[in-house]
Amino acid sequence: MITVNQILGNINQNSHLKKKYEEMLKNDLCEKVVITRMESEKLRMRKSTDKKTDVAFMFEHNPNLRNNDVIFMDDNKMILLRLESESVAIITLKSYENTENIFPLSIKIGHSLGNLHRPIKVTKNQVILPLQAETELEMLKKMFSSFNQFLDIRSENMIFEPDEGSNIHEH
């Protein structure tokens, strides 16, 4: 069993690790452990890689595990963490001419989403949040029905990684 108590880095953010990953992948020396986003906050858990290596996670503090984190590496093996994709709502702000409404619209969206106590990811013109049930998409559409001309609300299945500091408790 391999015990993991720290993250070595992320191949998306560390060019040295990315190069090492590509080399090891060519030699079939890479393994992956798949976890859910909710599991990514656990201090202790036990999982198996896709090649049946037993892995124990034992962290002192919230590890904030991310997709493509390297959790183990030696000369013969690299183990990567992969997050499962999940159903998310994507609220897109459509472009429109009347910019005086953007501030009130933003406040109302923020207030309503804040009451859901969900982690969020904010991009240039989108807010992404995890769905706990598909019926929540209809709830969001009803919640923002008075803003239909400004918003597009849809669901998608994706790897969701919340913005730093927005990963709050969920109900």
Side-chain angles (χ1 to χ4, degrees), residues 2-146:
I2 293 174
T3 301
V4 174
N5 52 29
Q6 68 178 2
I7 303 306
L8 303 177
N10 189 292
I11 65 170
N12 296 336
Q13 298 167 348
N14 182 312
S15 58
H16 170 73
L17 281 176
K18 176 126 180 138
K19 184 178 178 184
K20 188 72 174 165
Y21 166 73
E22 289 167 355
E23 291 169 9
M24 294 184 89
L25 187 61
K26 286 178 188 174
N27 296 315
D28 197 31
L29 298 174
C30 292
E31 299 182 30
K32 65 181 176 184
V33 172
V34 180
I35 64 170
T36 66
R37 180 182 48 81
M38 297 296 274
E39 288 174 321
S40 74
E41 299 175 15
K42 287 186 172 186
L43 298 178
R44 308 253 186 279
M45 71 178 147
R46 191 171 175 177
K47 292 285 185 173
S48 293
T49 70
D50 57 339
K51 295 183 180 178
K52 308 294 184 219
T53 302
D54 201 19
V55 179
F57 293 84
M58 300 177 73
F59 297 103
E60 287 187 34
H61 305 287
N62 183 345
N64 193 26
L65 299 172
R66 302 282 236 190
N67 195 49
N68 290 322
D69 277 346
V70 177
I71 60 172
F72 177 82
M73 184 172 61
D74 65 14
D75 292 337
N76 301 310
K77 182 183 304 210
M78 177 185 274
I79 302 177
L80 251 62
L81 186 87
R82 295 290 167 96
L83 292 180
E84 280 185 7
S85 61
E86 63 185 298
S87 184
V88 298
I90 301 174
I91 302 171
T92 304
L93 179 64
K94 300 176 188 175
S95 62
Y96 60 95
E97 301 301 317
N98 188 353
T99 58
E100 69 184 43
N101 289 331
I102 196 147
F103 183 73
L105 175 62
S106 299
I107 296 300
K108 289 176 182 178
I109 290 170
H111 176 74
S112 297
L113 293 182
N115 282 334
L116 296 176
H117 300 278
R118 301 281 172 79
I120 61 170
K121 173 104 179 142
V122 179
T123 65
K124 181 179 177 184
N125 68 331
Q126 294 181 328
V127 178
I128 304 169
L129 63 145
L131 292 173
Q132 295 175 346
E134 283 303 315
T135 56
E136 288 183 320
L137 187 65
E138 291 307 313
M139 176 203 62
L140 288 171
K141 288 179 179 181
K142 284 179 186 175
M143 186 186 304
F144 298 122
S145 62
S146 61

